[in-house]
Amino acid sequence: MGIGSWLGMVFGLSIPAILLMYLLKRKFIDTLVPSHLLWERVLRNIEANRPWQKLQNRLLLWLQLIVAALLVFALMQPYGWVSDNVKSHVVIVADTSGSMSANTDDLDAEGENSNSELKRIDLLKSQAKDYLKDHAKSSEITLLSMDSEPKIVISREKNHKEVEEALNNLQPYYGKAAYQETLSLASALTTDEQDAEIIVFTDTQWKGDTEGISFQVPSVVVDIGASPLNNIGIKQFGVQSNSTGTIAVAVLESMTDIADPIEYSLYGDEQLLVTQNTEFQDGTATIRIDNLQDAEVYRLEILSKDAYQADNISFAFGSNNTTSKVLLLSSGNFFLEKALQLTGVEVTKMVINDSVTEEGIKSEVGLAVSSPPVPGDKPDLIVIEGVIPPFITQGDWEKLLSDTPLWHIGGAGKEVNVGGEKAILHDHAVTQYLSLSNIYVGVILETDVPEWGDPIVEIGGKAAIYAGKESGHSRLSFLFKLEDSDLPLSAEFPILVNNAVSWLSNEEGYGLGRVIAGASLDIPISVEVTKAIWIAKGGLALASGIEPIAADQGTRGYNTIQKTPAIPGLYAFEQQDREGNKTSYWVDVTADPFESDIGEKTALSFTQQISETTGDMEQNDVRNAKVEEGKVPMSLMWIVAAVALVIILLEWGVYQRGRSI
């Protein structure tokens, strides 16, 4: 039994008030007696002044005190614990975030745990099913899970076989889970309901503050995975190629201090390169491995066992050592051509004459043609200086341009004099290591703002350089002519060109990098693609045996912005055109780093807008424990009030019989 409001104790002052009234009251009975009894009357007169004598044999007094005590007790809102068979609607919030995939030493519903691979989410399913069988047999069940957005798995389902099947199908979501949003949805689903309850099954590794979440129905948090666990994860991993070879660097992190060294292995294209041990200091360990053989994909794997597997494997992609091919269309710019060559690319130049761009083009050897053929070897990058020739927007050239990174310098447009104003640089790969503080640019071309880009350099309040992606391919645009500035004469010009080439040709490497599960990724997709899928190639994704996942499509074909799969691991994004030609990009999908801290616990606190849940912290803890046992509070106030009413009627009967004195 519990008390809903201790403020009712204030009315307990009525009890001593009743006693005081009886103590101060003097009552006598006029009785005719013989004269020899006068002495007895004197004695009784003396006894009438003794206060405590007045409390003897006063049935009416005791009845009044009992009624007062019962009314005070009723005002304290007492409640008792009964079996939970009264809620018509139960909302189950299942924490399906990545940390729920951790192994647990907790006991199951039978008080056993013979399975060393029992995961928190398995324990969640077991406890949720037991709750349904024991305490919600006739209830409607709504099941919510956490993905990138709140997910209503089932809604007001009375068939508990369907509910159990839905529970069995729950899987951890390794991306950024919608913690707060899911609770807000649970609150909205129970707004204005009088007979509902919210049960949150979670490991209490919670992101965000729950104090702003308000529930209008009773709620309870069931802690899954309370046993302390340790996790060793790969925090960072990358490879870099230089003149001496390829270097791998990684940072490992542990939740607790580890005395013994841990073992790891490094693979290159699935061939074992090295197996070593490393020791931790202050919870971290740094790994560096030199002189690695070239590979497309490097895999680092922690061999020592821990409770959380999602961060034990990480992938990195090697550099494409083939020489990039650049197609330069220009009327002739010695500085630009030499700067391109300094980057190490292979430059193929096609000379265009601004005066004859509407009529034709001349190749470097002087051959005049109206529309030159598309190069046999597809370039990795196209650089156009000056006005874009008309043939570029037609036929095979248009297809090539739409499917290749493009750098356009100058062109046509209204000239705006900026008079050598100082350049303002925005953070971007093209502008790194640059200041452009002593660069003079006299004229900026005013054109329509490209939909694909954002300004990365501004001069005189005008955008001078745009960068972005179109259909998944990089685009860079200089809205000024090189001859209208002294940029080619600057020492920063080769650096700028190298940055531009590196950024534009980056998509031609082996991989698209590392991204969190469920996040969006810009992927180069050709307009000729008829089929695109995600294929698991390594890590947890491959071990889980997931089938190929179809790429996101829109009304105009495959979207260049793709949502990555929900399970971490190595994926190949494979594309196929009408002729059956296939191209693929490597993507390392990782779990949300927040989920790696599986030992972190957060005390969840909700705002309860119901009278039964008022009280101190200790009382609320007891209440939560009772609900976990399958019990719910039932108010005893009306029962106590009914008993008080019966005693009042009894008191009236006593008064009528003259027993008041």
Side-chain angles (χ1 to χ4, degrees):
M1 189 177 69
I3 299 299
S5 175
W6 291 99
L7 292 176
M9 287 288 293
V10 176
F11 296 94
L13 297 175
S14 60
I15 295 177
I18 294 174
L19 289 173
L20 186 62
M21 291 171 60
Y22 270 85
L23 291 175
L24 298 178
K25 180 179 179 181
R26 298 182 64 181
K27 285 283 187 178
F28 299 97
I29 300 176
D30 294 331
T31 306
L32 295 176
V33 295
S35 61
H36 67 275
L37 295 178
L38 292 177
W39 288 108
E40 181 179 351
R41 182 173 182 179
V42 172
L43 294 176
R44 295 189 66 182
N45 187 40
I46 296 174
E47 291 179 356
N49 292 318
R50 296 176 183 176
W52 298 110
Q53 295 295 329
K54 302 176 182 180
L55 302 182
Q56 297 179 356
N57 300 323
R58 297 292 189 266
L59 180 59
L60 186 60
L61 167 65
W62 295 112
L63 291 177
Q64 290 174 347
L65 290 177
I66 293 174
V67 170
L70 288 174
L71 291 177
V72 170
F73 188 54
L75 291 173
M76 293 170 63
Q77 301 177 14
Y79 58 84
W81 295 102
V82 296
S83 297
D84 186 7
N85 295 318
V86 296
K87 299 301 181 185
S88 62
H89 183 206
V90 175
V91 178
I92 297 177
V93 178
D95 180 357
T96 53
S97 60
S99 61
M100 293 296 290
S101 68
N103 295 343
T104 180
D105 295 330
D106 287 10
L107 302 180
D108 56 20
E110 287 73 27
E112 301 178 353
N113 185 355
S114 58
N115 182 8
S116 61
E117 298 298 323
L118 181 68
K119 300 184 182 301
R120 288 176 173 177
I121 194 165
D122 298 327
L123 198 59
L124 180 152
K125 297 175 183 179
S126 175
Q127 292 193 10
K129 291 176 185 177
D130 292 337
Y131 174 84
L132 293 177
K133 293 177 183 178
D134 299 336
H135 313 295
K137 293 181 180 179
S138 60
S139 301
E140 295 180 340
I141 305 299
T142 296
L143 177 61
L144 307 181
S145 65
M146 299 177 187
D147 284 5
S148 58
E149 297 178 352
K151 183 178 180 181
I152 301 179
V153 182
I154 51 175
S155 178
R156 291 187 174 274
E157 180 60 61
K158 283 192 173 182
N159 187 344
H160 284 197
K161 290 185 177 180
E162 296 290 336
V163 179
E164 291 185 4
E165 183 178 354
L167 286 169
N168 290 332
N169 293 331
L170 291 178
Q171 296 296 330
Y173 176 75
Y174 294 91
K176 294 185 177 181
Y179 288 93
Q180 306 298 90
E181 295 84 351
T182 305
L183 291 181
S184 296
L185 178 58
S187 176
L189 292 175
T190 55
T191 300
D192 298 330
E193 290 200 27
Q194 301 298 322
D195 194 22
E197 188 168 31
I198 297 173
I199 309 293
V200 183
F201 292 91
T202 176
D203 58 4
T204 67
Q205 183 184 336
W206 203 269
K207 183 187 294 184
D209 185 9
T210 60
E211 291 185 358
I213 305 297
S214 176
F215 291 148
Q216 297 184 8
V217 298
S219 65
V220 66
V221 176
V222 180
D223 190 356
I224 304 292
S227 299
L229 300 173
N230 185 39
N231 177 42
I232 304 171
I234 302 173
K235 188 175 182 180
Q236 296 178 2
F237 174 51
V239 295
Q240 184 177 11
S241 298
N242 53 32
S243 58
T244 61
T246 301
I247 302 172
V249 179
V251 177
L252 310 184
E253 190 174 54
S254 174
M255 288 173 46
T256 59
D257 293 334
I258 299 178
D260 299 328
I262 66 104
E263 188 178 19
Y264 65 89
S265 292
L266 179 64
Y267 298 81
D269 293 337
E270 294 306 314
Q271 293 184 358
L272 179 61
L273 302 180
V274 63
T275 297
Q276 294 179 349
N277 294 330
T278 186
E279 295 183 352
F280 283 77
Q281 292 184 354
D282 297 328
T284 61
T286 301
I287 299 171
R288 178 188 172 101
I289 305 174
D290 297 315
N291 301 321
L292 295 174
Q293 68 183 45
D294 293 336
E296 285 191 30
V297 180
Y298 294 90
R299 171 165 60 94
L300 180 65
E301 182 174 358
I302 296 176
L303 302 180
S304 301
K305 289 187 177 181
D306 63 356
Y308 184 62
Q309 305 296 319
D311 59 359
N312 287 355
I313 299 178
S314 185
F315 299 89
F317 308 111
S319 300
N320 193 336
N321 293 326
T322 59
T323 302
S324 298
K325 299 179 177 64
V326 174
L327 177 61
L328 173 61
L329 281 72
S330 172
S331 59
N333 190 314
F334 175 80
F335 295 101
L336 177 59
E337 183 179 351
K338 291 302 179 183
L340 287 171
Q341 292 174 350
L342 286 174
T343 65
V345 300
E346 180 183 325
V347 181
T348 300
K349 186 174 67 174
M350 300 183 71
V351 179
I352 58 174
N353 191 327
D354 290 340
S355 62
V356 293
T357 51
E358 298 292 336
E359 302 171 3
I361 186 170
K362 290 192 290 184
S363 68
E364 189 173 7
V365 296
L367 179 64
V369 291
S370 59
S371 180
V374 172
D377 293 333
K378 182 179 179 294
D380 301 310
L381 169 63
I382 297 177
V383 181
I384 302 177
E385 184 193 20
V387 179
I388 296 179
F391 69 84
I392 287 290
T393 60
Q394 302 172 4
D396 293 338
W397 279 99
E398 181 183 14
K399 177 181 176 182
L400 175 65
L401 199 68
S402 65
D403 203 26
T404 307
L406 173 64
W407 181 8
H408 183 211
I409 303 172
K414 179 182 177 182
E415 296 185 350
V416 178
N417 191 349
V418 292
E421 292 283 343
K422 182 179 178 180
I424 299 176
L425 279 61
H426 300 285
D427 188 23
H428 194 271
V430 175
T431 60
Q432 63 181 348
Y433 315 123
L434 300 174
S435 65
L436 302 182
S437 57
N438 297 320
I439 302 302
Y440 176 88
V441 177
V443 175
I444 295 293
L445 299 175
E446 193 174 69
T447 61
D448 295 335
V449 177
E451 296 181 358
W452 48 260
D454 296 311
I456 61 174
V457 176
E458 295 181 73
I459 301 176
K462 301 290 184 180
I465 300 178
Y466 279 99
K469 287 182 179 289
E470 183 179 28
S471 300
H473 296 283
S474 300
R475 297 286 186 262
L476 185 64
S477 178
F478 281 27
L479 299 183
F480 59 90
K481 300 175 183 179
L482 293 180
E483 56 265 30
D484 289 337
S485 74
D486 60 0
L487 178 60
L489 303 177
S490 169
E492 291 187 313
F493 184 61
I495 301 175
L496 174 60
V497 173
N498 183 75
N499 289 347
V501 171
S502 298
W503 178 72
L504 288 163
S505 59
N506 182 59
E507 63 185 67
E508 299 304 323
Y510 292 124
L512 296 179
R514 186 173 292 117
V515 63
I516 294 177
S520 297
L521 180 64
D522 198 338
I523 299 179
I525 299 180
S526 171
V527 294
E528 301 295 329
V529 169
T530 58
K531 182 180 179 181
I533 55 176
W534 293 91
I535 304 176
K537 293 291 186 178
L540 187 60
L542 182 63
S544 301
I546 63 174
E547 297 294 328
I549 303 171
D552 298 332
Q553 284 184 280
T555 56
R556 299 183 179 181
Y558 287 96
N559 302 329
T560 59
I561 305 295
Q562 291 285 326
K563 184 178 181 180
T564 55
I567 299 179
L570 176 66
Y571 289 86
F573 186 81
E574 185 177 280
Q575 308 174 43
Q576 180 176 328
D577 60 17
R578 294 185 180 91
E579 298 177 358
N581 300 318
K582 294 182 179 180
T583 58
S584 63
Y585 297 94
W586 295 112
V587 179
D588 180 19
V589 177
T590 67
D592 183 1
F594 173 82
E595 305 298 336
S596 296
D597 197 2
I598 57 176
E600 183 69 21
K601 294 290 184 177
T602 301
L604 303 187
S605 176
F606 309 121
T607 302
Q608 298 281 358
Q609 297 183 353
I610 52 177
S611 60
E612 292 93 357
T613 59
T614 57
D616 57 21
M617 184 63 69
E618 182 178 356
Q619 181 179 340
N620 288 335
D621 292 341
V622 172
R623 181 182 184 278
N624 287 344
K626 288 291 186 180
V627 177
E628 289 183 24
E629 296 173 3
K631 298 181 180 297
V632 294
M634 182 185 74
S635 177
L636 302 177
M637 181 175 63
W638 301 110
I639 298 178
V640 175
V643 173
L645 179 61
V646 171
I647 295 177
I648 290 173
L649 295 176
L650 180 61
E651 178 188 359
W652 175 253
V654 172
Y655 183 77
Q656 289 290 95
R657 286 191 171 96
R659 299 289 303 276
S660 61
I661 299 178

